[in-house]
């Protein structure tokens, strides 16, 4: 026996090299998940049966009930397999044309989970009062849209829901007959039904010979209906089978995007059919996947069940509001059509059909459902320096000093889990952080912030006030018995988890972040308002749980099983934290909360990152695609760890990663505890200076990023935009995900993510001039698209300004972004082929909510050519569009002399650079003012066809004020 | 290509003094030409004088904006009247924060920052004075260290001489004994060769070789087992749950069962100190050391540990000869050979003498088989030679050591040009941080010792002074850093290393220990060895304050 043990120990030790990689066996494949296996088997049977396959579900025409005053219709649905089981179907058409399809079991043994949408939606959608349903003999239908070109059709038998536009099928539910809602049953039901079946056939004695009449659809066996074992864990499944299978087809769309988070291409590769790159369906089951693969359909930390289907003709979307584990098969029967099959473990069917038909409209429609990203604190767009771990308050001070000595800008220093004594979050380790408030003040003295981690696992010891209070309040997640406290293993050892579904936890959690003493227990007096929060491990990650998470039969508030709410769980945690940060002081301030786990709706208040990536070129590349995919699913404030969490990147890789990082909405460098230190000031020359320039470029462009966040906060359009969003009619761009645009600014970037690159090919999608941001070289796109080759040595980033754009930047290096508040602006006017250009600038105090009272600046810059002049002007946009200004707040009026404007009234435009003028000007003046100093370097004009360095006009210090209307005339 | 100078709105410019932010040595360059122009300092461009310090960057080298933040990567000079002038990066000019290095407040708009130069100057002067005092006191101790090194040098030189004399004597002695031994052996060599062919002897040698090999393998295994248990112990106490790896947890549990340790998680719940107490008690009964029944005459583990080496180090030749004597004595159990047993002790030496004479006669007469010379003599002289050689080697080695030590004293890579570090060789500095005592014995080993209980880790052994290629060996900077490396390997990580950063102080102490990266420790401390005596320049600069 002993030798056996020794052998086992040795084997474990020898196996460690392998352990430094994904442990695929920790996670289920579809074949190891009962309901997924059942769902895929159903699909396989349908495939085999081909034309003879018919969905057993049908709508009872006699049950149709159309609401008299809004666009809602209800009806009964039954399955021919189980004639006694009742299902209810409801369709609602919202005032923006979105169709919500809800189906649930009626009068069942139990209740299916039906609260996912409640957590995801920002507000109760408004029903259309003008669209009306008509019930026909074979179907129900409604026709709407400005041109009456949208049709929603519900066929009775078999049940089928189709959205059409101009007579073309856009979205089809149950078109392949894979709809199956497993009804609740008691464990003996099967025998009973067999007896019933045998009785009816009159051969009571030969029970075994009776054919299972439902096998053609459901299969022969009760496959993992009542219990499921994975590795050493057994899921008790007290409710039995309750999965939902639904096929969603896009007969006229050949590309689908979304359903983050997966490490894969933006245009999702297929999972079934010939030559499918992935063998498993895309999985949505929030999970802490150690050293995840750079290309896989495996689930990761967050889940947003929203999908775009795109063609040159139209874009449509589907939001499937489900909170349980969901697997999605994708296949492309033809190049121009897509089949998807969604298999969820529990919950009602609650699907939103987004009619589009443009990407912009999809974003707006989805934003109206789940909300947009509230304008984040301005400083959070700066550079974040993180490491697991800065080991002491003196370490933090030293890192800050080194940044300042090297004159490298940084806004935020982060503390990972080791600041906390025994990983009891909030409780500083007094040996290493004896003076947390003083340390934070020292950081804040340079205008900076700190972000400190607070994870959801609570160390189970009564000396930890957070645990003790939660335990006393009985707001912890319960084990499957429904009694007591669920106990699992995480950083803090034996731990329990707050049940944020329990409303009693909300105010309590918010009170823990107060920086002053409170009467009702612990509050974080050892913190200041300059500390913001990082919520990690909120999938939740549980080291000794099945698939490194919580057992599905654990019990949440209201008696719901963890299986019902798993994917929503992480969102409630970071959402409550953000509320706490917002309201901890006397004046509400914008919170910054970074979350690893997320769900539809998370975007409203938190930023996310792509988790524990590896320091490899593949991970660097896929990080860009993941940020794009999150962006189109609403989760726009996103980024990947610069440098890669695991590993020690060589200087070349680190530099390329910084180049990727500055073009992500969220820009943070992070490193694992086992890695060498790699703060940019540690680099040797020339790498150090290259990274300094990269950091400064980010800061230079902060006005562009902030302006993009404003737009997103109103429209839901992502911060970083893939080609199909910008040029939806250009099929070449549909699968491009290694170059992208920044907001509406006109900046196109292609970061380099490969080793030893000196040049690269960039796709220019339209007949327009694209200027190299740094050299002003003019490249030409064409209406069929054009590939150009550009230099991309280590210090070079392929960044372009699309002709027709005006970029506001701030070019003076500072140590942190708040110190730029009074710095002047530079405007880059990149003329289009027709000599025009346009750009926007949004500013506010960046910290409080005074912008929601209209204390802000929102300007438009326009360059317009006329016979002999080009006129560059600035005008106020907020007065003209008060309801569209910011954050979905409907300002009624806007005061152009508001308090914020007064604060920055001396801020001027110090320089204007005009690219692509045709001729040397004769005069450059502020309108009705003095002649200005200027310098003209002849070059290729925008209107030309040829490539070459463009003409550049530098206008020196026009001294026009950025908050005022003005014009500069070039004659 | 050129700025078009249409007219000069002077009133808009000139808000800032043209020489603002310029250091005194460059002031002469900030004057306009006769035509009221100015050349960028690198000569690349001519601009109107009004463009200097107009908060817009005109010169490619940035030299036209010494007093604003308009050009990148420039230095701004604060006059700091009443204190010392100082350069700051111009990225800090008008950023809203008062620079500590600009006590005159000139880096911000007028009225933003108070002029604090007087108090800053005073504080600075005090600080410099304190530093000087420290250096003065420290350098006195350092002088003692240097004196010590010279004494050491003398001492070593003396013992080297002594050793040299002794070596001469012993070399002669070895030569003499070797001569005797060789003579004795040459007589017996052929006889010995024959004896060595005896089956018993050859088998003995084979047994011995086999046993030696077994011992070597056994030691290897013991060493391996020790290393494995070290690995597993550090895995158990320090495993990184980040790997979220149940395999690791199983390994820990397996090890605990095998070694009879309580589960670390239970231990952590109860506090670590209880665990260690329990650990020691449990170790013998349940642990790796399994007690087993040993047959009589079989060696116990303890015997193996203690006596095996002696057994194997036996001189088999001597044994062979003794064996021969023994066998002959018993086989020729004639009265003659056994007479001794009947004789009183006092007569035996005489008898032996007589016997040898008698036997030699008998041999020469062919009555008994001859044996010349006595085996006992041969082995004795061999032993004497070995002993004498060992003694000689020992002294030679001691002399070499002393010579090496002498070389190190004034070696810039060793104890410094002046030998000021010699005194500190082996001096151990300690400090407590958290649950550990950290110790570095200079030029020796650095350690992490748990305060409560548990095993210590070697953090590294002295490897070198500051290894940076930018630092010249022998310079002051060189001695401000020591590297200790190749300590115990970290679980799943590198070998532990220590960088010791030293500065001048009146005492040899460790002031802090941080683990900035996993298993990379940074110690800081002070030592008088770094307190260089004040020179004239130091005193002069102090007086200028």
């Amino acid at each position: 026996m002993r030798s056996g043990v020794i052998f086992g120990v040795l084997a474990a030790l020898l196996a460690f090299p392998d352990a430094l990689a994904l442990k695929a066996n920790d996670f289920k494949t579809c074949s190891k998940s009962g309901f997924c296996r059942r769902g895929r088997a159903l699909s396989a049977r349908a495939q085999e049966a081909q034309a003879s396959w018919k969905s057993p579900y049908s709508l009872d025409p006699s049950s149709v009930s159309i609401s008299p005053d809004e666009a809602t219709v209800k009806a009964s649905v039954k399955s021919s397999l189980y004639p006694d089981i009742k299902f209810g179907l409801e369709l609602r058409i919202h005032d923006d044309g979105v169709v919500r399809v809800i189906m649930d079991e009626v009068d069942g043994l139990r209740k299916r989970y039906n609260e996912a949408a409640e957590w995801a939606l920002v507000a109760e959608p408004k029903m259309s009062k003008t669209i009306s349903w008509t019930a026909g003999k074979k179907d129900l239908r409604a026709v709407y849209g400005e041109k009456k070109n949208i049709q929603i059709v519900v066929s009775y038998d078999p049940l089928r829901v189709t959205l059409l536009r101009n007579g073309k099928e856009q979205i089809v539910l149950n078109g392949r007959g894979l709809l199956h809602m497993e009804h609740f049953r008691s464990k003996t039901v099967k025998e009973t039904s067999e007896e019933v079946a045998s009785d009816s056939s009159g051969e009571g004695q030969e029970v075994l010979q009776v054919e299972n009449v439902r096998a053609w659809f459901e299969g022969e066996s009760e496959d993992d209906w009542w219990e499921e074992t994975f590795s050493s864990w057994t899921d008790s499944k007290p409710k039995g089978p309750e999965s939902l299978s639904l096929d969603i087809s896009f007969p006229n769309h050949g590309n689908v995007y979304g359903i983050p988070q997966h490490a894969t291409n933006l245009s999702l590769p297929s999972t079934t059919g010939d030559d499918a790159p992935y063998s498993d369906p895309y999985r949505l089951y929030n999970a802490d996947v150690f050293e995840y693969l750079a290309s896989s359909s495996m689930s990761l930390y967050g889940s947003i069940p929203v999908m775009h289907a795109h063609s040159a003709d139209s874009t449509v979307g589907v939001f499937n509001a489900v909170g349980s584990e969901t697997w999605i098969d994708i296949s492309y029967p033809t190049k121009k059509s897509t089949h998807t099959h969604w298999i969820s473990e529990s919950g009602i069917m609650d699907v939103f059909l987004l009619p589009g038909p443009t990407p912009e409209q999809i974003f707006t429609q989805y934003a109206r459902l789940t909300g947009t990203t509230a304008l984040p604190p301005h400083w959070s767009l700066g550079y974040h320096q993180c490491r697991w771990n800065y080991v002491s308050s003196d370490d933090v001070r030293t890192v800050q000093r080194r940044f300042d000595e090297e004159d490298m800008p940084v806004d935020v220093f982060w503390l990972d889990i080791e600041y906390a004594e025994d990983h009891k979050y909030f409780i500083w380790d007094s040996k290493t952080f004896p003076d947390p408030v003083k340390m934070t003040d020292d950081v804040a003295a340079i205008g900076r912030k700190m972000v400190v981690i607070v994870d959801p696992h609570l160390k189970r010891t009564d000396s930890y006030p957070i645990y003790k209070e939660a335990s006393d309040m009985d707001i912890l997640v319960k084990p499957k018995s429904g009694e007591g406290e669920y106990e699992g293993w995480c950083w803090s050892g034996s731990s329990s988890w707050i049940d944020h579904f329990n409303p009693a936890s909300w105010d309590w959690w918010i009170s823990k972040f107060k920086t002053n003493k409170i009467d009702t227990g612990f509050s974080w007096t050892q913190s200041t308002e300059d500390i913001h929060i990082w919520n990690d491990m909120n999938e939740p990650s549980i080291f000794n749980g099945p698939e490194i998470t919580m057992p599905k039969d654990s019990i949440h508030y209201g008696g719901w099983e963890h299986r019902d709410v798993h994917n929503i769980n992480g969102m409630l945690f970071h959402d409550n934290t953000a509320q706490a940060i917002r309201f901890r002081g006397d004046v509400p301030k914008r919170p910054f909360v970074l979350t690893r786990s997320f769900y539809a709706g998370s975007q409203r208040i938190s930023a996310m990152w792509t988790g524990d990536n590896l320091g490899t070129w593949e991970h660097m590349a896929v990080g860009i695609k993941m940020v794009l995919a999150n962006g189109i699913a609403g989760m726009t404030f996103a980024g990947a760890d610069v440098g890669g969490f695991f590993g020690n990147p060589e200087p070349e890789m680190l530099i390329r990663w910084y180049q990727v990082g500055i073009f992500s909405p969220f820009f943070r460098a992070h490193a694992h505890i086992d890695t060498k230190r790699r703060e940019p000031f540690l680099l040797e020359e020339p790498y150090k200076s290259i990274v300094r320039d990269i950091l400064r470029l980010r800061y230079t462009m902060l006005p562009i990023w902030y302006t993009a966040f404003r737009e997103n906060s109103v429209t839901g359009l992502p911060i970083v935009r893939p080609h199909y969003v910008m040029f939806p009619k250009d099929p070449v761009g549909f699968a491009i995900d290694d170059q992208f645009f920044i907001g509406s600014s006109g900046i196109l970037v292609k970061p380099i993510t490969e080793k030893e690159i000196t040049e690269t090919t960039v796709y220019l999608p339209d007949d327009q001039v694209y200027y190299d941001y740094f050299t002003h070289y003019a490249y030409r796109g064409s209406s069929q698209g054009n590939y150009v080759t550009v230099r991309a040595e280590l210090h070079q980033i392929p960044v372009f300004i699309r002709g027709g754009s005006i970029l506001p930047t701030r070019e003076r290096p500072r140590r942190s972004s708040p110190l730029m508040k009074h710095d002047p602006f530079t405007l880059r006017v990149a003329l289009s082929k027709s000599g025009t250009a346009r750009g926007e600038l949004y500013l506010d105090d960046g910290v409080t909510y005074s912008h929601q009272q209209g204390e802000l600046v929102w300007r438009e810059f326009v360059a317009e050519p006329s016979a002999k002049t080009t006129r560059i002007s600035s005008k106020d946009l907020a007065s003209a569009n008060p309801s569209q200004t910011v954050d979905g707040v409907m300002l009624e009026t806007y005061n152009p002399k508001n308090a914020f404007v007064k604060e920055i009234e001396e801020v001027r435009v110090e320089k204007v650079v005009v690219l692509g003028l045709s001729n040397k000007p004769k005069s450059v003046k502020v309108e009705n003012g003095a002649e200005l100093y200027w310098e003209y370097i002849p070059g290729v004009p925008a209107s030309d066809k040829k490539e070459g360095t463009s003409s550049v006009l530098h206008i020196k210090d026009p001294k026009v004020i950025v908050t005022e209307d003005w014009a500069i005339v070039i004659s | 290509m050129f700025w078009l100078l249409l007219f000069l709105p002077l009133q808009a410019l000139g808000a800032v003094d043209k020489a603002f932010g310029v250091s005194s040595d460059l002031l002469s360059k900030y004057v306009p030409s006769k035509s009221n122009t100015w050349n960028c300092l690198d000569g690349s461009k001519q601009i109107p004088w009004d463009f200097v310090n107009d908060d817009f960057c005109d010169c490619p080298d940035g030299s036209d904006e010494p007093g604003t933040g308009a050009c990148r990567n420039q230095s701004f000079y604060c006059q700091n009247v009443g204190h010392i002038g100082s350069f700051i990066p111009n990225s800090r000019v008008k950023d809203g924060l008062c620079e500590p290095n600009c006590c005159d407040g000139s880096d911000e708009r007028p009225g933003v920052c108070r002029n604090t130069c007087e108090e800053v100057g005073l504080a600075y002067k005090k600080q410099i004075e304190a530093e000087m005092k420290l250096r003065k006191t420290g350098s006195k101790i350092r002088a003692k260290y240097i004196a010590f090194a010279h004494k050491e040098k003398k001492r070593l030189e003396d013992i080297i001489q002594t050793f040299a004399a002794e070596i001469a004597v012993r070399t002669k002695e070895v030569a003499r004994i070797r001569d005797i031994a060789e003579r004795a052996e040459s007589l017996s060599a052929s006889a010995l060769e024959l004896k060595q062919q005896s089956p018993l002897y050859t088998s003995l040698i084979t047994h011995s070789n086999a046993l030696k090999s077994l011992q070597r393998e056994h030691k290897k295994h013991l060493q391996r087992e020790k290393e494995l248990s070290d690995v597993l112990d550090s895995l158990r106490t320090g495993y990184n749950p980040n790997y979220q790896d149940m395999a690791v947890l199983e390994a820990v549990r397996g090890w605990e069962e095998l070694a009879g340790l309580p589960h670390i998680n239970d231990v952590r719940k109860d506090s670590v100190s209880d665990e260690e107490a329990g650990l020691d008690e449990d170790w013998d009964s349940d642990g790796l050391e399994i007690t087993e029944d040993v047959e009589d005459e079989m060696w116990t583990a303890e015997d193996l540990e203690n006596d095996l080496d002696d057994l194997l180090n036996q001189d088999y030749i001597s044994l062979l000869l003794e064996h021969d004597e023994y066998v002959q004595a018993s086989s020729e159990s004639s009265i003659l050979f056994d007479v001794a047993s009947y004789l009183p002790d006092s007569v035996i030496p005489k008898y032996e003498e007589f016997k040898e004479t008698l036997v030699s006669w008998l041999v020469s007469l062919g009555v008994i088989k001859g044996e010349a010379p006595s085996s006992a003599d041969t082995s004795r002289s061999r032993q004497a030679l070995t002993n004498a050689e060992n003694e000689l080697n020992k002294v030679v080695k001691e002399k070499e050591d002393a010579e090496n030590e002498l070389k190190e004293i004034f070696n810039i890579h060793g104890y410094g040009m002046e030998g000021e570090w010699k005194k500190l060789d082996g001096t151990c500095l300690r400090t407590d941080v958290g649950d550990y005592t950290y110790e570095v014995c200079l030029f020796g080993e650095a350690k992490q010792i748990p305060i409560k209980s548990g095993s210590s880790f070697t953090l590294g052994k002295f490897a070198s002074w500051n290894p940076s290629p930018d630092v010249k060996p022998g310079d002051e900077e060189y001695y401000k850093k020591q590297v200790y490396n190749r300590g115990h390997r970290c679980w799943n990580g590198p070998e532990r290393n220590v960088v010791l950063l030293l500065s001048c102080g009146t005492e040899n102490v460790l002031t802090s220990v941080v683990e900035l990266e996993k298993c990379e420790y940074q110690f800081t401390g002070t030592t008088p060895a770094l307190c260089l005596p004040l020179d004239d320049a130091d005193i002069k600069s102090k007086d200028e304050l």
Side-chain angles (χ1 to χ4, degrees), chain A residues 407 543 672 674 677 814 956, chain B residues 54 91 242 516-518:
Chain A
D407 216 358
F543 297 159
H672 188 273
D674 285 346
R677 293 234 171 177
R814 296 294 185 193
K956 171 172 170 156
Chain B
D54 69 343
S91 58
N242 178 48
L516 292 174
E517 287 162 17
K518 215 172 162 203

Side-chain angles (χ1 to χ4, degrees), chain A residues 667-687:
Chain A
F667 173 32
R668 180 183 77 155
H670 186 30
H672 188 273
I673 195 166
D674 285 346
T675 61
K676 308 294 283 177
R677 293 234 171 177
R678 53 164 105 127
E679 287 67 26
F681 53 74
L682 293 171
L683 286 164
E684 306 274 325
E685 291 294 358
Y687 307 118

Side-chain angles (χ1 to χ4, degrees), chain A residues 94 103 244 339 387 581 662 668 758 761 801 808 821 881 894 898 927 959:
Chain A
H94 300 169
M103 185 170 130
L244 173 68
H339 283 169
R387 171 176 177 82
I581 298 306
I662 62 161
R668 180 183 77 155
T758 56
T761 305
I801 317 171
K821 182 170 180 181
N881 313 274
Y894 171 76
N898 63 67
E927 201 164 55
K959 294 195 164 49

Side-chain angles (χ1 to χ4, degrees), chain B residues 383-410:
Chain B
Q383 192 61 49
L385 176 62
T386 312
N387 289 348
E389 277 174 342
N390 284 348
E391 284 298 315
L392 174 63
N393 288 341
K394 209 174 119 197
V395 181
V396 168
K397 175 80 174 30
E398 275 170 350
K399 177 166 172 273
E400 266 172 26
D401 288 351
E403 283 166 345
N404 286 336
E405 214 180 329
L406 183 64
K407 260 188 246 161
E408 285 298 298
I409 294 186
F410 296 103

Side-chain angles (χ1 to χ4, degrees), chain A residues 2 5-6 9-10 12-13 16 19-20 23 26 233 288 290 387-389 391-392 395 404-405 407 431 445-447 487 489-491 494 537 541 543-544 548 612 645-646 672-677 692-693 696 700 810-815 819 822-824 906 908 910-911 920-922 930-938 954-957 959, chain B residues 1-9 12-13 45 48 50-51 54-58 64-65 68-73 89-97 99 109 224 228 231-232 235 239-251 254-255 257-259 265 268-269 286-288 290 433-435 491-494 514-518 520:
Chain A
R2 283 195 184 274
V5 172
I6 290 175
V9 169
L10 286 175
L13 281 173
F16 280 146
L20 292 174
K23 296 195 73 182
D26 280 352
W233 294 274
D288 179 1
F290 179 71
R387 171 176 177 82
W388 179 23
N389 220 104
V391 299
S392 65
D395 192 6
D404 289 344
E405 282 170 0
D407 216 358
K431 290 174 189 135
I446 317 292
E487 181 183 349
W489 194 262
C490 203
W491 296 126
S494 172
M537 311 293 281
S541 175
F543 297 159
N544 63 340
I548 325 293
D612 298 343
F645 181 57
F646 297 106
H672 188 273
I673 195 166
D674 285 346
T675 61
K676 308 294 283 177
R677 293 234 171 177
R692 182 187 294 111
D693 287 345
R696 286 179 172 181
T700 296
R810 277 177 151 156
E811 307 273 338
R812 300 190 177 189
R814 296 294 185 193
R815 283 170 287 175
L819 306 185
H822 296 284
D823 283 346
E906 87 288 12
R908 67 189 206 276
E910 68 168 329
K911 189 175 192 180
K920 181 175 176 178
K922 290 201 171 62
E931 180 70 18
L932 297 167
Y933 298 100
W934 50 272
E935 189 180 10
Y936 179 79
I937 305 163
H954 295 274
I955 304 173
K956 171 172 170 156
D957 208 359
K959 294 195 164 49
Chain B
M1 278 298 202
F2 306 99
W3 291 106
L4 294 193
L5 307 178
L6 293 168
F7 60 99
L8 301 168
L13 306 166
K45 196 170 173 182
D50 295 299
F51 283 12
D54 69 343
D55 203 18
F56 182 88
C57 195
D58 296 284
D64 62 314
E65 294 296 318
T68 76
C71 297
R72 290 185 165 205
N73 302 330
N90 75 334
S91 58
R92 302 185 189 182
V93 174
K94 293 195 177 61
D95 66 352
L97 303 183
E99 271 314 295
R109 279 160 234 273
R224 223 176 127 70
L228 263 175
V231 166
L232 288 164
L235 169 65
Y239 81 94
N240 184 341
N242 178 48
Y243 295 99
Q244 303 165 18
D245 192 332
M246 288 304 113
V248 175
L249 200 60
E250 272 168 36
W255 167 236
E257 192 189 327
L258 182 69
N265 298 341
R268 281 180 179 145
K269 271 185 209 161
D286 282 356
L288 273 175
I290 307 155
V433 178
D435 300 331
W491 149 239
N492 209 6
V514 282
E515 188 183 358
L516 292 174
E517 287 162 17
K518 215 172 162 203
E520 302 277 346

